[in-house]
Amino acid sequence: MNALMQSNALLISKLLEHAARHHPDVEIVSHVNAQQCERTNWRQVAQRAARLASALQARGIQPGARVATLAWNTHRHLELYYAVSGIGAVLHTVNPRLFPDQIGYIVNHAADDLLFFDLGFAPLLAQVAPHLKSVKAFVALCSRAELPALDLPGPLLSYEGLVAEAEPLAQWPELDENTASSLCYTSGTTGNPKGVLYSHRSTVLHSWAACAADGLQLRAHDSVLLAVPMFHVNAWGIPYASAMCGAKLVLPGPDLGGERLFTLMRDERCTFSLGVPTVWLGFFQHAEKLDAATRAELCLERVVVGGSAAPRAVIEKFEHLFGAYVIQAWGMTETSPLATICNLLPRHEGIPLEERFDVQVRQGRAIFGVEIAVFDAEGRRLPDGSHTPGELKVRGPWVVSAYYGQEPGASLDADGWFDTGDVALIDKDGYVQITDRSKDVIKSGGEWISSIDLENLAVGHPKVKEAAVIGAYHSKWQERPLLIVVPNEGAQLTSEEILGFMQDRVARWWMPDDVVFVDELPHTATGKLQKTRLREQFRGHRLPTDVPGG
Ligand code: AMP
């Protein structure tokens, strides 16, 4: 028997209509660049998105067409999120930190029709544009007067010109909720990037998870500093979820430096922020220099840390310096990205802070909508609470089924699971602990050592700015951990000091066999440690413990 309830499609345009109707005056603060700050609100975002949508249609953008952006977090990028998807086209947010030939590859692979870009990316675009095969016109995110002189293989338009020339769309089209809405490519440390194609339905369901109390608790009360780029998995879904609940958005533009983030948090009374650990390490480089009275000017309540493991030191500093709670979240481009979120259970009420941090360093519990399971090398499902880490798999309505260009289901096993490539433990309470990427795990004499655990431990040393651990060749054990450390500016740090700090906090056989100091570590376009490059760099490294005949 069919139910007798309405089955209105879950559409991205409905999020915007809701925000414009119920939270019209809630501000969107946009730092276009260091000189220019625009203040707008949900009403105006909706109005301008409706104008842009009809301008796109007038320029021949059909349902299903791909529209690329090379852009920072600004109000214009936000309008594009809604205008492009709202007419059934697909927003392809390109990561500008990729190498130019990777950018060329993904724009051609996606066959983007239009490319919108921030003026700061003009030099990058000039380099890439001659290799683009499908782009019919380029749109600079600026006014007509600001249009740069650029030699491009197609017309150059101004964003404000497009918005001004069009009559607003009278009504957003009623699309099928399974229509593709946006496209993100995984940064892929090896091989070519792969596209993940989200739908209106997956995006709206994911937004509810962000707003749920045991999700990210996003709500109308919040002023959100979006320190995760809008080209990184749809800024973790926050541009959509903020419209759903009517939160204020603070869009920082290109500058994610510690001082700028602190100033924005203070001036815009931010209660909530999100970013990758590297952003927060930079934030504390600044924040730790401030006196208590200045720090007390913030009213930060929650900070989401994800994209890489949240170092314990970051969790502790947010608590001790700002009284802010770190919500660690785990996910990936393929999971929209929210999959597990670290909130507390009733039994954690009133536990000592140190014990609470022990919980917060984990990646959290599955939110409804995402099923998680860990499997051993033979494909057997491991029970929660098992002490052996295994391959983490996920499934659910906002998890990828196949990469762009493949047949539906091509990325799933026979039971519909997507293999994340992460190695994890799930404890009895259902908290996930990511121990490694499967290719980064250190295999020492048949046992696994978690590079992430060692890195987090090393970063806990007050003189350490950043740390990486890779497996270095050992003739007896196959691999042993090599610790690579970036000390804090001006700090004098010795191997003995850092190893001494670690030794009581980790199993003896996990202790790194050697320490090297470097000025910086290589990162991927989304701020993750680039272990492939480190492994190449230290391929010939001779461990002092690897003595002939030892
Ligand atoms: P991306 O698709 O670029 O967002 O990368 C996803 C990958 O980042 C995951 O498969 C994990 O390896 C890693 N990752 C994301 N969040 C976390 C986290 N909280 N802790 C540890 N690793 C994470």
Side-chain angles (χ1 to χ4, degrees):
M1 185 190 284
N2 279 342
L4 290 170
M5 303 306 285
Q6 300 183 20
S7 53
N8 312 28
L10 302 175
L11 297 179
I12 287 171
S13 56
K14 301 284 179 204
L15 295 172
L16 187 60
E17 282 177 341
H18 176 83
R21 159 103 204 272
H22 297 287
H23 307 276
D25 299 318
V26 172
E27 272 189 309
I28 310 293
V29 183
S30 166
H31 284 259
V32 176
N33 53 48
Q35 291 79 38
Q36 205 184 341
C37 170
E38 305 265 345
R39 301 187 92 87
T40 158
N41 56 34
W42 282 114
R43 182 198 297 108
Q44 287 169 34
V45 168
Q47 285 166 353
R48 281 165 52 90
R51 280 181 178 277
L52 178 61
S54 73
L56 291 172
Q57 287 179 334
R59 301 241 159 211
I61 295 298
Q62 300 286 332
R66 273 79 60 207
V67 173
T69 57
L70 262 177
W72 295 113
N73 294 8
T74 67
H75 65 299
R76 294 184 179 120
H77 206 176
L78 183 67
E79 290 159 6
L80 276 157
Y81 261 55
Y82 285 99
V84 174
S85 307
I87 57 169
V90 179
L91 183 80
H92 173 199
T93 50
V94 181
N95 186 337
R97 295 189 186 129
L98 294 173
F99 293 118
D101 49 352
Q102 278 181 315
I103 294 181
Y105 170 86
I106 65 172
V107 173
N108 289 333
H109 189 261
D112 296 321
D113 275 349
L114 286 180
L115 192 154
F116 288 72
F117 66 99
D118 269 327
L119 291 183
F121 295 124
L124 174 62
L125 184 62
Q127 209 180 334
V128 174
H131 307 287
L132 303 182
K133 300 187 181 123
S134 57
V135 177
K136 299 185 186 73
F138 299 86
V139 187
L141 293 164
C142 64
S143 66
R144 282 201 185 104
E146 290 167 316
L147 264 186
L150 263 182
D151 185 16
L152 293 171
L156 173 63
L157 313 167
S158 89
Y159 181 88
E160 291 302 328
L162 270 189
V163 171
E165 82 187 16
E167 282 301 314
L169 203 70
Q171 209 177 349
W172 293 101
E174 286 296 332
L175 306 167
D176 181 318
E177 65 181 14
N178 289 306
T179 304
S181 56
S182 68
L183 176 64
C184 288
Y185 280 72
T186 58
S187 37
T189 40
T190 50
N192 278 324
K194 290 178 278 190
V196 179
L197 190 59
Y198 309 98
S199 69
H200 285 256
R201 173 185 154 82
S202 69
T203 304
V204 173
L205 291 175
H206 181 264
S207 304
W208 263 309
C211 295
D214 277 321
L216 304 182
Q217 307 146 39
L218 194 64
R219 59 197 201 277
H221 149 99
D222 283 315
S223 167
V224 180
L225 176 62
L226 199 62
V228 56
M230 290 169 74
F231 53 75
H232 186 198
V233 211
N234 299 322
W236 302 353
I238 299 305
Y240 306 112
S242 299
M244 178 176 266
C245 68
K248 167 177 169 177
L249 271 180
V250 181
L251 305 170
D255 184 358
L256 294 180
E259 188 171 358
R260 165 53 67 92
L261 294 184
F262 183 88
T263 310
L264 287 178
M265 283 177 181
R266 185 193 57 205
D267 295 352
E268 303 302 336
R269 310 296 298 147
C270 293
T271 53
F272 183 82
S273 189
L274 317 85
V276 295
T278 344
V279 162
W280 300 124
L281 294 175
F283 173 77
F284 283 112
Q285 294 267 315
H286 173 73
E288 278 183 301
K289 291 192 211 131
L290 304 172
D291 58 34
T294 312
R295 290 201 303 260
E297 291 175 33
L298 295 198
C299 54
L300 200 59
E301 294 169 5
R302 286 142 24 249
V303 178
V304 182
V305 183
S308 303
R312 190 182 181 103
V314 166
I315 298 172
E316 289 174 350
K317 284 179 196 169
F318 269 119
E319 178 65 41
H320 294 315
L321 301 186
F322 298 105
Y325 180 83
V326 167
I327 307 177
Q328 173 153 205
W330 168 84
M332 51 201 314
T333 309
E334 288 87 338
T335 64
S336 293
L338 297 174
T340 67
I341 301 183
C342 198
N343 286 302
L344 301 177
L345 291 170
R347 70 180 192 77
H348 299 123
E349 286 291 322
I351 56 170
L353 261 187
E354 286 303 315
E355 282 176 39
R356 205 190 80 188
F357 296 146
D358 292 340
V359 180
Q360 286 175 276
V361 290
R362 301 195 196 152
Q363 278 71 20
R365 289 155 42 86
I367 34 176
F368 177 76
V370 180
E371 287 178 76
I372 55 170
V374 165
F375 295 82
D376 70 10
E378 277 73 49
R380 286 180 300 241
R381 188 168 173 170
L382 298 169
D384 290 355
S386 150
H387 293 290
T388 329
E391 301 284 349
L392 178 62
K393 297 189 181 184
V394 294
R395 60 185 180 195
W398 59 82
V399 175
V400 74
S401 149
Y403 291 103
Y404 183 59
Q406 296 178 338
E407 287 300 312
S411 299
L412 309 181
D413 69 14
D415 297 316
W417 291 105
F418 173 76
D419 186 347
T420 64
D422 282 337
V423 178
L425 289 162
I426 303 181
D427 73 14
K428 282 213 187 66
D429 287 330
Y431 285 90
V432 167
Q433 188 188 342
I434 303 285
T435 58
D436 248 310
R437 287 295 291 164
S438 50
K439 52 189 184 309
D440 294 341
V441 81
I442 297 159
K443 298 189 175 103
S444 174
E447 298 285 345
W448 288 3
I449 297 176
S450 160
S451 63
I452 295 184
D453 281 3
L454 293 176
E455 285 157 8
N456 284 345
L457 188 54
V459 172
H461 190 286
K463 290 186 190 168
V464 173
K465 183 171 170 205
E466 214 185 350
V469 176
I470 56 169
Y473 173 76
H474 191 288
S475 55
K476 179 169 175 200
W477 301 108
Q478 292 86 47
E479 279 182 355
R480 289 292 304 154
L482 167 66
L483 171 63
I484 307 162
V485 176
V486 183
N488 275 329
E489 237 164 84
Q492 296 294 323
L493 180 65
T494 61
S495 311
E496 291 70 33
E497 230 178 318
I498 180 77
L499 292 176
F501 171 81
M502 293 171 77
Q503 78 186 359
D504 297 332
R505 297 171 164 89
V506 72
R508 250 173 91 90
W509 65 278
W510 276 39
M511 280 294 287
D513 280 24
D514 200 5
V515 185
V516 287
F517 294 95
V518 294
D519 292 337
E520 60 177 345
L521 291 169
H523 291 99
T524 66
T526 49
K528 295 187 214 306
L529 283 173
Q530 212 172 3
K531 299 263 179 91
T532 39
R533 287 225 356 237
L534 284 175
R535 278 193 287 266
E536 261 163 44
Q537 196 179 332
F538 290 95
R539 189 180 294 138
H541 187 85
R542 214 181 150 75
L543 292 170
T545 50
D546 194 5
V547 283

